[in-house]
Amino acid sequence: MSSEFSSIGTNTAARFSLKLHRGEGAVLLAMNWHAEFPPMDFVGFAIEYREPGSEIFYSVKNRLAFRQVDLQLNPNALSSLQSPIQKFRWVHFPRNADLTGDFTYRITPVFMNPEGQLSYGEAQLAGVELRRETFPGEMNVAFTRGFVSSQAFVDKYGKFGEISTLLPNNSQNGLTFKPSHPKADEAMGWMGFEARTAILDVLDKAVEDKEAQVRVIAYDLDLPEVVERLEKLGPRLTIIIDDSSGHDGPSAEETLAENRLLQTAGASNVKRQHVLGLQHNKLIVINSPTNKYVVCGSTNFSWRGFYVQSNNAVILTGSDAVNTFGKAFDDYLKIPTSKFKESTSANWTELAFSNLKLGVSFSPHGRTNMRLDEIAHDIVNGTSSSLFYSLAFLSQTPGPVREAIGAVTNNKQCFVYGISDREVGGLDVQLPNGNVAPVHPEALKKNAPAPFSEESAGGGGVRMHHKFIVIDFDKPTARVYLGSHNFSSAADKDNGENLLLIKDRRVATAYMVEALRLFDHYHFRITQANSATAKKELTLARPPKSGEKPWWHDDYNSPRKIMDRKLFA
């Protein structure tokens, strides 16, 4: 049984339930045992999936393994049929996620007898269609991978020393840097994921369509594959480039990009601007009789924005979106920045879509149309089930939104998971026990616990660059706040920003899956780092002996983990 955003397994003979949640290029699998507790010999789930049109099931691999009789561990990633997943939910990125049709998942419970032999119970099957566009012909949500520091990156593209062959060491040579890694093209596609593909595809369409007029607002602008496409547009491009501190010097990459675009677009079509603080939009508007697209969100047109950070991009299609965002562009260009708050662009504008409700508001705002208090009010008074957030700079932005998140976190009736950057590198992760724990990107660079490999620190700096809040993804009232807006006073009053409010369960589910996969990634990195510090190896748990607890004990005894298990499954 499936919907546009989830599906469930229907095998009544299976001893557990299965629910799939559609993400963007990813699937969240959630399982829950029917009985009060799983049996003591239950050691996890085997996860297999089948691509649309195929008869072959591929097994999801698990790097963790059972310790063998000789006390050795297999250092290789093993099939989950032999090394089951000891979690009640799992985010999976299937190969060829763009294929049309359902991806079918087969989840099988795995048991172990006292001799260490595995056996298998009745499986659940369910299918979900991923497709590339969230709402074909209207709107698409796309994410970057954001996993330069991960075991997957190490497996695919080498250890941490090789990062310098893929990314410039700093932004000062971004426009001239050329990757020398032998798998550079593949690595760029993997790291940039759907956001890179979607943004470059829109620009390619504009280049090919000689009638297309293109308006761009860029905060960071140091990525050659973007600048080269903008150059090809010639005078059909009008661009505003931020010139705040760090972007304004003669050697800044944004100035170098400006100089190049002056040669192709012309002096009247290239403007520098910082509004009252920052021109922080990341915006593309394409308008022609046959191509009408808007790109917005948190993804900067930079090496870090595409390939290092966790970011999102929203691609909107149609005249209404183009006209609304195009007017905001013209307002930035023509209205004195101190007067922008009085423009209609600073108010909420509802866009006409047949499948979802979407409103947009542009900063800077004035006293009568500021957004922070109304967002905080919605968080505190409108969250009835769950709150997910992934917020860059939350540690640096005291105010109503941070206070509202704190209030809902303390509400034991609501489920809250979140991740935010920390002021000096690293991240803060809201743990399952309600505590906040830091994780630094260099945590596994040198002292990874067995069986893990050392990872790349990826150049440091902000890693998690999202700005989104998901309220009640599992309710008909599901909604997401997102955009370039940092939910800070500066973003509201001083900067050029876009803020979207999307009311739709498919979109809310996609952002929930993104929040959860980042949370799980960094939560596990905390576990890895703690194991490394304690000089312990990470292994799968065997059935408990007398006096021991099973691996699933906390999932059935911790109130927060019980909520986790039940919410998704």
Side-chain angles (χ1 to χ4, degrees):
M1 180 178 177
S2 65
S3 68
E4 289 291 342
F5 46 83
S6 65
S7 64
I8 61 174
T10 57
N11 183 3
T12 57
R15 300 166 66 185
F16 66 99
S17 64
L18 168 66
K19 188 170 186 178
L20 308 182
H21 301 267
R22 178 195 179 275
E24 296 296 334
V27 181
L28 168 63
L29 303 92
M31 292 73 71
N32 190 20
W33 210 258
H34 288 320
E36 184 179 5
F37 298 105
M40 289 295 177
D41 61 348
F42 170 57
V43 289
F45 295 100
I47 301 176
E48 302 168 278
Y49 77 101
R50 182 177 65 200
E51 294 179 344
S54 173
E55 299 298 322
I56 301 172
F57 274 93
Y58 297 97
S59 176
V60 170
K61 293 183 178 180
N62 188 2
R63 193 176 298 272
L64 296 182
F66 294 109
R67 191 178 296 279
Q68 304 302 312
V69 175
D70 59 4
L71 301 183
Q72 297 300 306
L73 286 173
N74 191 322
N76 303 309
L78 302 174
S79 163
S80 57
L81 288 163
Q82 284 77 47
S83 291
I85 304 296
Q86 292 187 336
K87 285 176 66 71
F88 285 90
R89 55 175 167 76
W90 190 260
V91 176
H92 179 240
F93 289 83
R95 296 177 294 177
N96 307 314
D98 286 350
L99 289 174
T100 301
D102 280 1
F103 284 79
T104 302
Y105 284 83
R106 181 168 64 196
I107 314 300
T108 307
V110 183
F111 307 92
M112 178 181 283
N113 68 15
E115 287 71 42
Q117 298 169 327
L118 299 179
S119 60
Y120 304 89
E122 190 78 20
Q124 284 279 19
L125 275 80
V128 64
E129 184 180 15
L130 294 179
R131 69 169 174 267
R132 180 168 172 184
E133 287 190 274
T134 313
F135 285 103
E138 288 194 339
M139 184 261 241
N140 188 32
V141 174
F143 298 105
T144 61
R145 183 86 61 175
F147 277 6
V148 166
S149 291
S150 71
Q151 294 295 299
F153 181 86
V154 172
D155 289 345
K156 290 175 178 291
Y157 307 115
K159 295 188 177 181
F160 67 92
E162 297 186 32
I163 193 70
S164 62
T165 66
L166 285 171
L167 303 171
N169 290 328
N170 58 64
S171 62
Q172 293 305 306
N173 62 349
L175 288 173
T176 57
F177 178 80
K178 295 186 182 300
S180 59
H181 194 286
K183 293 184 177 180
D185 289 344
E186 177 187 324
M188 296 300 157
W190 187 85
M191 291 187 292
F193 200 42
E194 288 191 329
R196 174 189 188 253
T197 299
I199 293 171
L200 296 184
D201 279 356
V202 165
L203 288 174
D204 286 338
K205 288 177 180 177
V207 170
E208 294 168 5
D209 183 353
K210 302 308 178 184
E211 295 185 84
Q213 297 295 315
V214 181
R215 288 172 279 191
V216 174
I217 303 179
Y219 177 65
D220 289 339
L221 186 60
D222 66 23
L223 191 60
E225 55 193 327
V226 171
V227 175
E228 289 165 4
R229 285 167 168 82
L230 297 181
E231 288 177 306
K232 292 177 181 179
L233 294 169
R236 294 188 287 119
L237 169 71
T238 306
I239 186 169
I240 299 171
I241 306 172
D242 177 72
D243 65 352
S244 61
S245 178
H247 290 163
D248 59 341
S251 62
E253 294 297 291
E254 288 69 29
T255 301
L256 299 178
E258 174 195 12
N259 293 336
R260 287 172 55 171
L261 294 173
L262 284 169
Q263 302 301 311
T264 57
S268 62
N269 289 335
V270 181
K271 181 175 181 178
R272 302 301 296 273
Q273 184 185 72
H274 55 265
V275 197
L276 301 175
L278 311 174
Q279 180 42 281
H280 196 243
N281 277 286
K282 309 93 171 55
L283 181 62
I284 301 171
V285 182
I286 296 171
N287 191 11
S288 83
T290 54
N291 287 294
K292 295 182 182 296
Y293 296 103
V294 169
V295 176
C296 57
S298 71
T299 307
N300 281 309
F301 310 132
S302 65
W303 286 98
R304 292 190 60 78
F306 272 45
Y307 301 124
V308 176
Q309 297 169 336
S310 297
N311 273 311
N312 65 91
V314 175
I315 295 85
L316 305 173
T317 304
S319 296
D320 200 30
V322 166
N323 292 339
T324 300
F325 280 79
K327 182 185 182 303
F329 180 94
D330 292 341
D331 288 345
Y332 284 123
L333 200 62
K334 299 173 182 178
I335 296 176
T337 54
S338 61
K339 297 292 186 180
F340 187 92
K341 62 188 178 183
E342 301 170 11
S343 70
T344 56
S345 295
N347 298 326
W348 281 114
T349 301
E350 297 294 326
L351 302 187
F353 291 105
S354 59
N355 289 300
L356 71 158
K357 293 182 178 180
L358 188 153
V360 60
S361 177
F362 297 88
S363 297
H365 297 115
R367 182 178 56 82
T368 61
N369 56 12
M370 289 185 67
R371 303 290 167 229
L372 292 181
D373 284 340
E374 66 180 84
I375 295 170
H377 182 272
D378 191 15
I379 292 171
V380 173
N381 298 286
T383 303
S384 63
S385 168
S386 62
L387 180 73
F388 295 86
Y389 63 88
S390 192
L391 294 173
F393 310 113
L394 184 66
S395 63
Q396 302 173 47
T397 55
V401 169
R402 192 165 81 178
E403 292 169 5
I405 289 173
V408 177
T409 301
N410 292 328
N411 181 351
K412 297 187 183 302
Q413 303 304 310
C414 294
F415 184 85
V416 181
Y417 270 172
I419 185 169
S420 65
D421 76 302
R422 299 176 67 218
E423 188 169 358
V424 185
L427 298 159
D428 274 342
V429 179
Q430 180 80 42
L431 295 177
N433 60 10
N435 296 326
V436 174
V439 56
H440 196 276
E442 297 215 10
L444 290 182
K445 185 175 177 181
K446 295 182 179 179
N447 298 315
F452 295 87
S453 303
E454 56 188 340
E455 297 178 358
S456 167
V462 173
R463 248 359 135 67
M464 203 291 301
H465 195 249
H466 283 308
K467 307 97 168 43
F468 68 78
I469 298 169
V470 185
I471 300 175
D472 288 353
F473 83 93
D474 56 328
K475 304 290 185 182
T477 55
R479 56 210 181 274
V480 187
Y481 291 95
L482 62 105
S484 67
H485 195 291
N486 285 326
F487 301 95
S488 67
S489 177
D492 227 16
K493 297 190 301 183
D494 300 327
N495 299 346
E497 307 275 10
N498 60 83
L499 174 66
L500 278 64
L501 170 57
I502 302 177
K503 298 179 180 180
D504 178 78
R505 284 191 73 178
R506 191 187 314 178
V507 174
T509 298
Y511 275 91
M512 175 277 291
V513 173
E514 173 70 2
L516 200 61
R517 68 109 178 177
L518 289 174
F519 173 86
D520 284 349
H521 174 72
Y522 284 105
H523 183 197
F524 188 66
R525 288 177 64 79
I526 293 171
T527 301
Q528 289 175 308
N530 291 342
S531 295
T533 301
K535 301 186 184 307
K536 292 182 179 179
E537 294 178 322
L538 292 172
T539 65
L540 292 180
R542 289 173 172 266
K545 297 178 181 178
S546 178
E548 295 179 341
K549 296 177 180 178
W551 68 270
W552 45 259
H553 177 271
D554 287 351
D555 295 284
Y556 282 81
N557 290 274
S558 163
R560 193 173 183 87
K561 286 202 142 187
I562 291 172
M563 289 181 69
D564 183 320
R565 177 171 51 82
K566 291 182 176 180
L567 176 66
F568 301 109

